[in-house]
Structures are given as C-alpha cells and as structure tokens.
C-alpha cells in the first residue's frame, strides 16, 4: 500500500470511528468498534491500531460490556512499553487517562482478585510519577478501592489526600469528581454536605458525558431524607430522561427505580423496569447488576407488602413473573452477587449494604410526580375515621355518638349508625333508635333505599314522632326524583307536605321536621327545573322559587343553635342562586352563592360550602372577576379539607392552576396542576382529567424554563389526550410545547417530529396562523438537526402559508432561513443570493402598500434592515477559500453595499433602530478593513461611539458596541499610520 493510499485509508478509518462514537451505547456500537480494529490492523500503521484500540476501549467502557475493556488496554500498554514513539501526544494522554478506568473498573468485576487491584494501583502511581502527573487521580482511585471494601479509615485518608493534591490533566473532570465526593458524604450520613458538593453539577456549571445524569440519580434519596420533595421530583424527571437511553448507566437507572419505590410511585417503577428488560440479565458489569437486582427486590417486596404479590410484573425474559416470585429471584441474585464481591474483598461490607438497601422502608407515603401512572393500591377513603377509644364503646355510647353526629350533620354520621346496627344485632332497641338506623341506611343506599325510608317512617310514627315520619316519607319521595322519576316524586311528596303543615299549625310537630319536608319538596321541584323542557321553564322556575322561599319563611330567624336549621337556610339560598343563574341574572346568582357558602361556614359545616364555592368560581370567571374566582376556589379547597372527594379536589386544583397561571404565578400554577394530576389519578380519572392536568403542568413547567421536567410530563400526557375527548387544540398545544422543550434540550430531530405532527392537525383548521407557525418551527428544528433538505421544504411550506396569510414578516424570515440553508449546500451560493434578494423584494413590496399603518410600517422597515444586514453577512461568507483575489474583493464589495444599506434603513428608525444600526456600522467597518480601507472603517467606528455618547454604563449592548468600536478604531488608526 502506498503512503498516499494508506493516509486516505487512515483518514477514512478515523471518520468511521468518529461516526461510531456518536451511535447509541450498546452491543451494536461495540461490534462495529471490533470491526474497525480489524480494519486498522490491515493498514500496517501502528498509530491506526493504537487509535482503534482506544476507540474500542472507550465504547466498551460506555456500555454493558465493560468487562471487555481490559483486553484492549493490556494490549495498548504492551505497545507503549515496547514502542512509545508510536503514540502521538493525544494517544499518550489517553493511555494514561484510561489507566484510572482500569484500576477502578476492576472493582466492578468480582473475579479479579483484590491483590491484582492493589498491584495495578501501585503500577498507576509509578507510571503517573514517571510521566510527571499529580497524584490526585491515584489517591482518588485508592479512595475508591477502600470505600468499596468498607475500609473507612483508609478511604477517609485517601479522600483527604485526593482533595489536597493538585488538579492536573489526569484528574477526573470537575463534574465526576464532585459526584464521587458527594456520594461519599451521603454514604457517611452527611446529606446536606453532599448536596452542597453536587450543586455546581446540578446547576449546569460542570457537565460531561455522564453528568449531571449520575448526580441527579444520586441526589434522589438524600433529597427525600431531607424532605426536599420538590427538588427530588424535579431531579427524577430531569435525570431519568438523561439516563433512559444510556445503556451504561444501569446503576443510575436503579437509583430512579429505587426512588419510585421509596416515594409511593410503585406503578412508575414497574414502567421503568419494563423499559429495560436487558438490565435483568446483562452480566458485563456485575456491580451495576447487583445494584439493579437489589432495587428490584426492594420494589417487589414493597408490592408484596401491599397485597399485590400475585400481580404480573416485568422480569427476566423467558417466563412470566409475579411480584412475589420476582422478589425471591431478585433477592437471591443480589445476595449471590454480593457474596462474590465479599469473598473477593475479604469483608462483609457489600453484603451488608445490599441487605440494608433491600430492607428500606418508604421515605414518603406518596410523592406526586405529574406523569401518568396507575395506582398500585386503592385510593384511601378521604373522610376521617370515626373516633377510636381505648376500648370498644358500649351500645348506648355508640347510639349517643351517632345521634350527635347526625344532629350536627357530620360527614361520617351514616357510618356511625351502621356501627350501631352492627353492635345491636340480637339486641332489642326502642323504635326511635331503630328508626334512625333504618333512616341512615336508606340515606346511604340512595334510590335503592325507598323501602327502608318507608320502614323508618313507620318506626318514627311508632316512636311518637309523626313529623319525623313525614320527613322520612318526603326523603323517600326525593330519592325517586334522583332516580329520574320527578313526576312520581311530586305526587309522593304532596301528602307529607299537606300533613306536616297541618301538624305544624296545630303545634304537633316542630320547625325541624316541617322544614325537612318542605326542603324535600323544594329539592324535587329544583330537579324538575334542571330537567325542564323549553316552554315550561318560566312556570317551573316560579314553582321552585316559591317552594324555596317557603322554606326560608319557615326557618329564617328560628335557627338558634340548631345546625340542621342553619343548613336549611344556606341550602335555600344556594337554590335561589341556581334559579337566578338559570334566569340569566348572574350577578344576583353570584351574590346568593356567596351568602349560601358563608352560611354553611358559619354553621360549622364548611364541607357543604364547597359545591357552591365551586359554582361561584365558575360564575365569577364568566363575569370576568379573576380575583373573586381565585378566592372562591381557594375557599373551596380549604373548606373541603379531608372530606373532599379525589375528583372534586382534582377539578378545583386544575381550575385554580388556570386562574393563578393567568396572573403569571407559574410556580404556584404548576403546583396546583401537579396536585390536579395526582388527585385525578387517585380518582381513576388519569386518562381524562389527569391528562388535562398534565397538559397544563407541562405548559407551566415550560414557562418556568424547566425543559426536561416539562418534556417528561408532556410526553406522559400525550397517550391519553385525544381530539374527541380533550379537543384538537389541546393535542396541538401539547405537541407544540413538547417540541419547544425538545428544541431547548437539543433534541432537534424529535422536536421536528412533534412540531410536524402538530402542524398536520392544524393544517385542517380554518385559521392557518398556527399551521404556518408550526411549519416554521419544524423547519428550524430540521435545520438544527442537520436535515437541510427537509428543513428547506418545511420553510418553503411555511413561506407559502405566510404569503397566503399576508404575513410579510413570516415570509421574509422563511426566505432568509432558506438562503442560509442553501449557502451550506454544495454550489448553493447562487440559490442563496436569489432567496435573500427575494426576501428584500418582499419587504420593499410590503412597504409600498399604502394601507399599512405607521406602526406596521416601522416594523417592516426594521425587517428590511435586518434582511439587508443578513444579505451582507451571507455574501461575505459565500466566498470560496480558493477564490481569486479579484473575485473575493468583488463579493466583499457587494457585501459591504448590503450592510451599508442596512445602516441607512436602521437610521431611518431613529433611536428605536440605534442598536441595530450600530451593529451594522461595525459589520460595515470590518468589511471596509478587509477591503484595505482603514479610513472608512475608522469612520464607522467613530459613528458608533458618537451614537452612544449620551448613554451610561448600565446598557450592556452599548458597552459591547463601544468596546468593539474602540478596538476597531485603534487597529484602523494604526493601519492608517503605517499606510502614511
């Protein structure tokens, strides 16, 4: 092979290795590295083999096949010892760099004796000393060995020496060092110190290929232990997104599974296991396999403890698994691996840590994450349990407590009477007690309790309370209305109504019993209003209002300390509010709902106010009273307390998220949307209300700049969102937001896919602005992903839509973007020129339209200026490196002319265009300098200095412009002196 041929082949090999390095981690990338080594060996170029071995070693290290990396390293070391001159400077550095990987990597392989590790540690120290390197990396490796075997004293000594040694080119990157230092502090029980060390990595100050991925995972338990739950949630959502696709990060992946198991998110933990089936069996890195199996055992024990041992779960391929079965299997695998490490190490440290990890208990009952997940256990009953005494109370005490609860309308009165019924089995009770038992059982059954209400009525009559008997019959009539039998209900309540009024007039019953019958009748008439057909509405409204006012006339002024009567007044006010709302008098309805809610609260019954405060919030929102809406929603959440059902809590939080988000309080809005998602899942409404809450949550997180969290939440919402259930607008907005997040995260191809999916839906809408915007955004993402042809087509599509909409700004920007894309293509300079010229013509044509108002004209002038400026920049960059001097000069002259035109256009905007004008002035000055016209360049610089002569130092743009102008002026004045 000739030297020329060999050099070309070596270059091709290097390109192939660079391309392979960009492929996803895994066996396919490793196999390709093995092929490339074989190709390198055919070239008869030692450096080619060295580079191919180094490439192979690196891809092994970043994969599940870490055990394979020792062979290429030993071969590289032998080549170094035999012919160090074959290594260039980079490969010499790399060889010493990966020495650390070998020494600490042996810890992960229990078949490698501890003595061998100590030998390699000594070898590393010797070679680093010969090469003139600091001992920092050596002491770090020694700490790792000592920490692994549980030699705390040696680990602390090595840790201190590590930090004391100078950082040099062999020290691990700042991010990796801080990760390990923080991990050690957390292991020693110093969580706050660990998080302080990790802060620069978590905040993005220091990063690398595996950071902040690993730090985010390691931070989860310390944050839970410290009660910093919001940070723990955020780090899980951010961190899992980073490690999901990285095969080599099984240990960090296990930390995320563990976090879910310890925070009440068992269902999400199972989803994580299902995503990585190979993690159960990949054996190239036993240490991370131990971490993973221990966490699987922890999770499965947790599920079994919750009574879900027979639940099917993801597990090793080849058979199906229940949680109980996998718990036994994973525990056995983890302990067997730990025993191998301990046997190698001569200590019990790994086994003790493994057992402790598997024995952990949840750190919080449940931490809502915002992402979709079915509950693994039934949601708890929200109402508080009946009071518990030291011993089982006797029957009279149970009756007294039940009567107290029902007389004061406590939420668990029905349950208390059920307890009485159980305790009274085989005991003869008086008719009054039996009446109340039957009455409350009927209330619990609803429409199915008709016969029990009639039985209760008979027993009340037997007990000598005819008014309460009539009230029970009236309640029976009302449950008929609830079942849809409104006419039958009205017929059934007519008799009790007439009879109770007669009894009351004769002083044979009291206000409470009479009010109960009148309220049941009013409720039935309200049900008729709610089911009203057009034409009957006015009469039905009048009848209902009369019935409600009859209740008020009876009760108002007579409530005293009677909670039941106070509740009748408040409910009647709420009924009048509903009637006013149906009649279209919304201000009156809002006032009455406010009065009703206040009445329930004053009576000590705040949970009854919740329904009406929610109704009030809807009315006030419709009336445009944002402050009132917010107050009503907050009151509803406060007053509902533990008695509020999960679905109601979800709805209130979702409404409040929208209201406070509208005020710009994105942080609080995100909290409410998170709560809404959580409670929707609790209520079994995850695919409906929960998906909408996740949509909202993702939007608020996006506005807060928390891109990774937002992306995880939005991706979780999408499978449940549908045009039929949630509307096309919600689906499009979710895709749009997700595309924005992915673009911010640098995932441009995925961002383009989301934006194109949204654009495809919006394509069918009558108004096409969203379609055009999404097509434009998709084009930006395609361009950033390096898909130039696809980007050009998307920009052309967007441009056509902007043109149809008469949006000159969108059209011009799409043309400019296409011009820059064309310039990057081979022989694309002419096409780029024409596209930029077309953008100029579009601006000029729009400015010629006399219909544009002054503000619109000013915007168009600015757009024209930016187009001329970009045209000049494009021309300057279009000059081929091998062009003749005359050709280069001609193109630069054209570029200067465009930039000067931009200066003129921006100058016409006055002070509004100053920053844009001075930027163009400086660009023109540099082009003049390139054309060997220092006087012209100096004049441009002076013009910039003059433009900012009256500004203070607070304007960052002014400071930057003046600094650049002074630099230009100094260079040009020197050039003028030399020319002179």
């Amino acid at each position: 092979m000739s030297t020329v041929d060999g050099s070309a082949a070596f270059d091709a090999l290097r390109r192939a290795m660079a391309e392979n390095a960009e492929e996803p981690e895994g066996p396919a990338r490793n196999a390709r590295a093995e092929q490339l080594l074989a190709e390198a060996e055919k070239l008869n170029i030692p450096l080619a083999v060295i580079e191919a071995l180094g490439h192979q070693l690196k891809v092994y290290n970043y994969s599940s096949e870490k055990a394979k990396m020792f062979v290429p390293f030993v071969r590289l070391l032998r080549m170094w010892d035999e012919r160090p001159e074959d290594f260039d400077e980079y490969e010499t550095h790399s060889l010493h760099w990966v020495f650390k990987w070998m020494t600490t990597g042996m810890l992960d392989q229990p078949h490698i004796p501890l003595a061998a590790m100590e030998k390699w540690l000594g070898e590393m120290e010797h070679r680093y000393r010969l090469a003139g390197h600091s001992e920092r990396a050596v002491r770090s490796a020694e700490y790792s060995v000592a920490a692994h075997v549980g030699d705390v004293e040696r680990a602390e000594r090595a840790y201190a020496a590590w930090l004391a040694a100078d950082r040099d080119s062999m020290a691990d990157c700042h991010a990796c060092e801080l990760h390990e230092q923080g991990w050690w502090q957390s292991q020693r029980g110093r969580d706050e110190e660990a998080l302080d060390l990790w802060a620069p990595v978590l905040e993005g100050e220091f990063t690398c290929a595996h950071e902040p991925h690993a730090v985010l995972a390691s931070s989860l338990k310390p944050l839970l232990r410290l009660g910093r739950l919001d940070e723990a949630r955020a780090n899980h959502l951010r961190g899992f997104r980073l490690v999901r696709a990285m095969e080599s990060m099984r240990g960090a992946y296990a930390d995320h599974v563990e976090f879910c198991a310890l925070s009440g998110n068992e269902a999400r933990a199972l989803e994580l296991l299902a995503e990585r089936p190979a993690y159960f069996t990949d054996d190239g890195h036993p240490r991370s396999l131990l971490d993973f199996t221990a966490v699987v055992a922890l999770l499965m024990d947790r599920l079994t403890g919750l009574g879900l041992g027979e639940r099917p779960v993801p597990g090793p391929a080849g058979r199906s698994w229940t949680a109980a079965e996998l718990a036994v299997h994973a525990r056995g695998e983890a302990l067997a691996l730990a025993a191998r490490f301990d046997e190698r190490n001569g200590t019990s440290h790994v086994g003790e840590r493994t057992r402790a990890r598997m024995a952990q208990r949840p750190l919080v009952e449940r931490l809502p994450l915002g992402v979709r997940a079915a509950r693994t256990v039934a949601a708890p009953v929200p109402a508080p349990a009946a009071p518990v005494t030291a011993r089982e109370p006797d029957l009279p005490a149970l009756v007294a407590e039940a009567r107290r609860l029902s007389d004061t309308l406590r939420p668990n009165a029905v349950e208390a009477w059920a307890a009485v019924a159980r305790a009274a089995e085989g005991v003869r009770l008086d008719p009054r007690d039996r009446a109340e038992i039957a009455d409350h059982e009927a209330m619990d059954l609803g429409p199915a309790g008709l016969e029990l209400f009639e039985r209760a009525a008979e027993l009340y009559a037997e007990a000598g309370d005819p008014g309460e008997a009539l009230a029970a019959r009236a309640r029976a009539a009302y449950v008929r209305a609830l079942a849809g039998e409104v006419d039958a209900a009205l017929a059934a309540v007519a008799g009790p109504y007439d009879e109770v009024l007669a009894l009351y007039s004769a002083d044979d019953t009291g206000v409470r019993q009479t009010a109960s019958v009148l309220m049941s009748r009013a409720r039935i008439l309200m049900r008729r209003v709610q089911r009203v057909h057009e034409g009957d509405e006015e009469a039905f409204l009048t009848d209902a209002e009369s019935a409600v006012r009859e209740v008020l006339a009876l009760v108002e002024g007579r409530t005293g300390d009677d909670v039941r009567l106070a509740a009748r007044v408040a409910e009647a006010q709420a009924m009048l509010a509903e009637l006013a709302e149906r009649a279209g008098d919304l201000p009156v309805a809002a006032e009455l709902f406010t009065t009703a809610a206040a009445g329930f609260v004053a009576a000590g019954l705040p949970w009854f106010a919740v329904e009406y405060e929610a109704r009030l919030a809807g009315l006030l929102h419709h009336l445009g009273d944002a402050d009132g809406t917010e107050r009503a929603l907050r009151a509803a959440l406060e007053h509902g307390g533990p008695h509020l059902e999960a679905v109601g809590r979800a709805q209130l939080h979702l409404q409040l998220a929208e209201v406070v988000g509208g005020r710009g309080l994105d942080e609080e809005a995100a909290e409410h949307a998170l709560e809404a998602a959580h409670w929707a899942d609790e209520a079994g409404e995850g695919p409906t209300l929960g998906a909408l809450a996740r949509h909202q949550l993702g939007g608020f997180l996006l506005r807060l700049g928390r891109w990774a969290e937002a992306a995880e939440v939005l991706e979780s919402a999408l499978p449940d969102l549908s045009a039929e259930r949630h509307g096309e607008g919600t689906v499009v907005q979710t895709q749009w937001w997700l595309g924005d997040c992915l673009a911010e995260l640098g995932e441009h191809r995925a961002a383009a896919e989301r934006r194109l999916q949204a654009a495809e839906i919006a394509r069918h809408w009558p108004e096409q602005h969203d379609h055009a915007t999404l097509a434009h955004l998709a084009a930006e993402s395609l361009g950033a992903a390096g898909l130039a042809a696809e980007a050009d087509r998307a920009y052309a599509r967007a441009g056509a839509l902007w043109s149809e909409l008469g949006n000159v700004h969108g059209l011009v920007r799409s043309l400019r973007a296409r011009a820059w894309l064309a310039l990057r293509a081979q022989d694309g300079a002419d096409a780029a020129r024409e596209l930029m010229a077309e953008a100029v013509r579009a601006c000029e044509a729009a400015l010629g339209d006399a219909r544009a108002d002054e503000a619109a004209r000013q915007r168009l002038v600015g757009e024209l200026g930016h187009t001329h400026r970009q045209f000049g920049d494009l021309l300057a960059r279009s000059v081929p490196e091998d062009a003749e001097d005359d050709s280069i000069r001609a193109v630069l002259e054209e570029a200067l002319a465009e930039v000067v035109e931009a200066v003129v256009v921006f100058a016409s905007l006055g002070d509004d265009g100053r920053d844009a004008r001075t930027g163009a002035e400086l660009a023109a000055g540099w082009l003049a300098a390139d054309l060997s016209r220092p006087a012209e360049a100096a004049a441009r610089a002076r013009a910039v200095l003059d433009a900012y002569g009256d500004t203070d130092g607070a304007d960052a743009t002014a400071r930057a412009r003046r600094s650049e102008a002074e630099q230009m002026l100094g260079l040009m004045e020197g050039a003028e002196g030399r020319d002179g």
Side-chain angles (χ1 to χ4, degrees), residues 903 917-929 933-949 958 960-973 976:
V903 172
R917 175 175 67 82
T918 54
E921 288 271 22
L922 289 168
W926 292 120
L927 284 169
R933 299 209 287 265
E936 181 179 343
R940 297 288 179 191
R942 292 189 188 96
V944 172
L945 293 173
D946 290 343
Y948 292 112
R961 293 279 196 273
R962 292 180 67 166
S963 175
E964 187 177 350
E966 287 165 356
Q967 178 192 12
M968 181 186 294
L969 191 58
L971 291 171
M972 294 307 105
E973 287 176 342
E976 286 179 300

Side-chain angles (χ1 to χ4, degrees), residues 477-660:
Y478 176 54
V479 297
R480 284 183 180 274
L482 291 177
E485 302 174 18
V486 176
D487 292 339
L490 281 172
V493 81
Y497 171 71
D498 291 336
E499 291 177 46
V500 81
L501 288 177
L503 284 173
Y504 181 69
S505 65
D507 289 333
D508 289 335
T509 193
V511 173
R512 178 189 282 194
Q513 292 84 352
T514 307
S516 181
V517 176
L518 266 58
M519 181 58 78
S520 290
R521 179 171 176 270
R523 287 172 177 168
I524 294 168
L525 288 166
M526 289 297 294
R527 292 291 294 182
R528 186 174 69 168
V529 168
Q530 291 159 5
R531 296 165 54 88
V532 69
H533 297 292
E534 193 172 351
D536 299 325
E537 186 173 23
E538 186 174 350
F540 286 177
L541 284 170
T542 300
D543 290 346
E545 183 178 352
S546 297
V548 173
R549 294 199 179 279
E550 189 176 16
V551 173
L552 286 172
L554 173 70
V555 177
E556 277 189 313
R558 298 185 178 88
T559 59
D561 295 331
D562 192 322
V563 172
R564 284 180 179 248
L565 292 180
R568 299 295 185 213
V569 173
E571 185 179 356
Q573 296 284 3
M575 287 176 170
L576 291 177
E578 183 176 346
L579 292 170
E581 182 182 7
R582 293 187 70 90
D585 195 341
L586 301 189
V588 168
E591 183 179 345
L592 287 166
F593 274 132
T594 301
T595 301
F600 281 120
V601 174
L605 304 170
W607 49 88
F608 283 124
V610 173
E611 176 187 350
Y612 306 113
E613 285 163 335
R615 294 279 295 275
L616 173 61
L619 276 177
L620 293 174
H621 179 71
H622 184 78
L623 291 168
D625 183 352
D627 291 342
T629 303
E630 183 178 341
R631 283 195 301 272
L633 291 170
R634 290 189 189 279
L637 280 170
E638 177 189 349
H639 293 148
H643 312 295
L644 194 57
E645 291 184 356
V647 67
R649 193 178 297 274
Q651 290 168 337
L652 289 170
H653 276 296
L654 189 58
Q655 289 173 277
L656 194 50
E658 184 177 352
V659 171
V660 299

